[in-house]
């Protein structure tokens, strides 16, 4: 590709930012990014979060390899301030379903023989084993699994801000508060010429890259249900400075069948918790699909369902019972783009010259922030996707697929609309 070629990236979330960064770093001089959110990190980005798990274990060794490359990159100067190698406690509770046990075993198998993990993995079979790596935990914890000391978490929002600043320094133009309304095409309809915003500004480019996360199908309905928007609940509890200090250095703690949480955030002293949940869908009628239904994120996401709140409290009762009844704050549902096989999609859109999709994060892409833009650059420069698994898969349908690593049953938001709990509810309950 000509290094002066005009490249337009739609969406400044995890994929969009990393792509802009890698292109600019490689010498591309005409890179523009359009982002809907008015502030950065984008409030709508799945990556805009206190923290995300950085670990190499995967059911599929292909991704374990990629994650290890990314972990090396998390130790490079730009990223290392945001990476915290606290270790990763991955277990199943006593009542875990078989599926959850199989998933854990596959994850362990993907790393246990690798030289990077020599002396890094310790089996966990009892409460005492857990207290050896997390002495502050004093719940019953009849869990089994392992502790991996070569893993941890990233401060996600801060890492995104660092990449944003690096992009600006490298000459990338990023327009916030710029919502893409539609793509534009040549008269013949087979060449993408750029995008139109809701404000009526037309941005033209020789290559347009769609990194719109869970919202992609609203702009590219022909992707149909190769990806479906899936939402995961997140909530926090506010700790006192003393409580936060007591939990300093705890590993990322994940009971596959209950949920996970992280070391408290240093700035806010909040403990972020995600209950185990196979994900919510939010289906809409859309003419692009034969069934007439597409799942897209709703506009209101600042809640969790009562069942998720109950799951969070179960997880706390198991580990930190004194905190189990504390009000939840910062409740929200965070949206990703799931594929049927949890593979990313990084490819040219068939029949549309100059149009590339980078999607299908399937809720496991943040850890790749330092590296994934390089895979997009490869595809642009080669003019095709050589990795079969990341190709556009016409006809593939992610709806209703039982994802091996997602524990539980996918539910549509409609089914939990009577269970919605917002932050104010907690305040009222406290009053
Ligand atoms: C609860 C939760 C926990 C997670 N935990 C982890 C973890 O521990 N480790 C890990 O590796 N991954 C994790 N992930 C997954 C990770 O966050 C995602 O894989 C990743 O952020 C997806 O990146 P993306 O660029 O595809 O989407 P996003 O980051 O969501 O970016 C899409 C961007 O497009 C913008 N946009 C949308 N529509 C428009 C429009 N019309 N015009 C302009 N801009 C638009 C949005 O504002 C957004 O900024 C988690 C995800 C969730 C939801």
């Amino acid at each position: 590709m000509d290094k002066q070629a005009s490249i337009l990236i739609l969406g400044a979330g995890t994929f969009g930012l990393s792509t802009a960064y890698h292109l600019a770093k490689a010498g591309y001089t005409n890179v523009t990014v359009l982002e809907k959110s008015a502030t950065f990190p984008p409030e709508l980005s799945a990556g805009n979060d206190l923290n995300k798990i950085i670990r190499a274990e995967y059911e599929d060794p292909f991704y374990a390899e990629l994650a290890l490359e990314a972990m090396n990159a998390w130790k490079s100067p730009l990223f290392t301030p945001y990476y915290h190698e606290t270790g990763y406690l991955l277990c199943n509770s006593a009542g875990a379903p078989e599926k959850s046990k199989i998933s854990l075993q596959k994850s362990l198998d993907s790393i246990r023989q690798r030289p990077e993990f020599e002396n890094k993995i310790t089996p966990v079979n009892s409460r005492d084993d857990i207290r050896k790596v997390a002495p502050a935990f004093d719940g019953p914890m009849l869990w089994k699994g392992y502790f991996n000391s070569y893993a941890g978490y990233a401060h996600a929002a801060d890492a995104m801000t660092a990449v944003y600043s690096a992009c600006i320094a490298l000459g990338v133009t990023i327009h916030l508060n710029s919502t893409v309304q539609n793509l534009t095409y040549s008269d013949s309809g087979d060449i993408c010429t750029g995008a139109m915003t809701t404000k009526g500004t037309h941005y033209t480019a020789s290559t347009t890259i769609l990194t719109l996360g869970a919202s992609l199908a609203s702009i590219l309905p022909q992707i149909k249900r190769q990806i479906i928007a899936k939402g995961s609940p997140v909530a926090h509890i506010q700790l006192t400075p003393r409580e936060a200090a007591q939990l300093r250095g705890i590993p990322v703690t994940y009971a596959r069948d209950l949920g996970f949480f992280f070391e408290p955030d240093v700035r806010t002293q909040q403990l972020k918790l995600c209950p185990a949940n196979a994900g919510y869908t939010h289906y809409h009628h859309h003419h692009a699909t034969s069934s007439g239904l597409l799942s897209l994120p709703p506009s209101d996401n600042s809640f969790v369902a009562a069942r998720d709140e109950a799951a969070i409290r179960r997880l706390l009762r198991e580990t930190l019972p004194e905190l189990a009844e504390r009000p939840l704050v910062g409740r929200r549902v965070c949206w990703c783009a799931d594929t049927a096989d949890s593979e990313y999609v990084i490819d040219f859109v068939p029949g549309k010259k100059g149009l590339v999709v980078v999607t299908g994060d399937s809720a496991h892409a943040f850890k790749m922030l330092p590296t994934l833009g390089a895979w997009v650059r490869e595809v642009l420069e080669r003019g095709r996707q050589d990795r079969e698994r990341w190709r556009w898969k016409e006809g593939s349908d992610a709806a209703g697929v039982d994802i091996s690593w997602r524990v539980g049953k996918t539910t549509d938001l409609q089914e939990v609309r009577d269970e919605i709990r917002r932050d104010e509810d907690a305040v009222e309950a406290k009053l």
Side-chain angles (χ1 to χ4, degrees):
M1 280 214 4
D2 172 7
K3 294 266 163 100
Q4 279 81 47
S6 49
I7 300 174
L8 184 63
I9 299 174
L10 307 182
T14 309
F15 276 134
L17 259 192
S18 184
T19 300
Y21 172 66
H22 277 275
L23 289 173
K25 211 164 65 125
Y28 288 86
T29 57
N30 191 354
V31 179
T32 303
V33 185
L34 304 183
E35 166 55 46
K36 180 178 184 169
S37 303
T39 52
F40 202 90
E43 57 184 11
L44 298 168
S45 163
N48 181 9
D49 210 345
L50 281 186
N51 34 44
K52 299 285 190 194
I53 308 171
I54 307 295
R55 44 84 185 165
E57 43 269 81
Y58 262 96
E59 288 187 11
D60 181 344
F62 169 78
Y63 283 99
E65 186 73 44
L66 294 181
L68 277 168
E69 283 168 29
M71 285 173 70
N72 279 333
W74 276 104
K75 295 182 174 175
S76 65
L78 177 61
F79 293 97
T80 195
Y82 314 104
Y83 175 53
H84 306 280
E85 208 162 276
T86 52
Y88 183 39
L89 178 65
L90 185 63
C91 292
N92 278 301
S93 81
E98 200 53 27
K99 183 183 182 191
S100 180
K101 294 180 188 163
I102 293 169
S103 175
L104 184 144
Q105 191 57 46
K106 282 188 186 166
S107 297
L108 177 58
D109 289 347
S110 74
I111 57 167
R112 70 195 320 171
Q113 303 297 346
R114 299 192 61 113
E116 296 88 342
F117 292 93
E118 202 181 333
N119 301 322
K120 303 283 188 198
I121 297 172
T122 317
V124 164
N125 288 306
S126 66
R127 181 179 187 272
D128 285 350
D129 288 345
I130 294 175
R131 282 174 56 87
K132 278 182 201 142
V133 292
F137 294 179
D138 57 359
M141 297 178 296
L142 295 171
W143 297 3
K144 288 195 190 316
Y146 65 93
F147 173 69
N148 166 12
S149 62
Y150 185 35
Y153 71 91
H155 194 296
D158 286 358
M160 290 183 79
T161 302
V163 181
Y164 175 87
S165 301
C167 284
I168 301 291
L170 287 163
V172 176
T173 305
I174 303 181
H175 296 290
L176 300 177
N177 203 10
S178 297
T179 304
V180 174
Q181 184 168 277
N182 58 274
L183 300 170
T184 56
Y185 295 98
S186 60
D187 289 345
S188 53
D190 59 346
I191 302 173
C192 180
T193 54
M196 183 72 82
T197 66
T198 49
K199 291 179 191 153
T201 310
H202 185 201
Y203 291 86
T204 55
S206 55
T207 301
T208 302
I209 305 174
L210 293 167
T211 49
L212 295 164
S215 304
L216 175 70
S218 63
I219 300 296
L220 191 76
Q222 62 263 48
I223 197 156
K224 297 186 182 161
R225 297 205 310 212
Q226 279 185 67
I227 57 154
I228 55 168
K230 238 179 219 178
S232 305
V234 183
H236 308 75
I237 56 175
Q238 185 63 55
L239 302 179
T240 63
R242 196 165 150 267
E243 288 166 341
Q246 280 167 349
L247 296 181
R248 188 68 43 231
I250 59 167
V252 176
T253 299
Y254 196 163
R256 291 290 284 109
D257 55 315
L258 300 177
F260 57 99
F261 60 94
F262 299 73
E263 183 180 32
D265 178 51
V266 174
R267 206 157 43 218
T268 60
Q269 288 156 4
Q270 285 189 357
L271 187 73
K272 178 186 135 183
L273 299 121
C274 298
N277 181 309
Y280 290 110
T281 51
H282 181 241
Y283 278 107
H284 281 294
H285 282 281
H286 201 290
H287 59 85
T289 56
S290 50
S291 68
L293 289 172
L294 278 183
S295 173
L296 287 166
S299 50
D300 172 16
N301 287 302
S302 50
F303 59 86
V304 294
R307 64 185 72 182
D308 297 315
E309 175 160 350
I312 286 172
R313 300 206 183 286
R314 255 195 322 274
L315 175 63
L316 285 168
R317 274 197 292 277
E318 282 281 317
T319 48
L320 296 162
E322 275 194 19
L323 302 177
E325 301 311 322
R326 193 152 303 178
L328 299 183
V329 294
R331 299 159 195 240
R332 67 194 166 87
V333 181
C334 164
W335 293 84
C336 290
D338 254 36
T339 52
D341 48 12
S342 294
E343 299 282 4
Y344 306 148
V345 183
I346 305 176
D347 203 356
F348 286 86
V349 176
K352 300 288 179 196
K353 201 161 173 273
L355 185 60
V356 174
V357 278
V358 184
T359 186
D361 68 284
S362 303
H364 65 91
F366 191 84
K367 66 182 72 59
M368 312 293 188
L369 175 74
T371 50
L372 62 85
W375 314 327
V376 184
R377 180 166 74 83
E378 269 172 35
V379 169
L380 292 184
E381 291 179 348
R382 260 194 233 120
R384 60 176 190 277
Q385 175 55 272
D386 282 346
R387 285 181 170 118
E388 177 86 40
R389 55 168 81 218
W390 288 351
R391 288 209 180 121
W392 177 276
K393 295 187 191 96
E394 190 66 45
S396 153
D397 189 346
V401 175
D402 182 24
I403 307 285
S404 61
W405 58 269
R406 285 193 181 271
V407 179
K409 184 178 151 284
T410 298
T411 310
D412 198 79
L413 274 186
Q414 278 294 334
E415 291 176 49
V416 296
R417 66 172 189 269
D418 297 333
E419 293 185 32
I420 284 176
R421 301 286 182 272
R422 298 179 191 276
D423 284 3
E424 310 87 74
D425 301 341
V427 175
E428 275 167 26
K430 211 175 147 205
L431 291 173

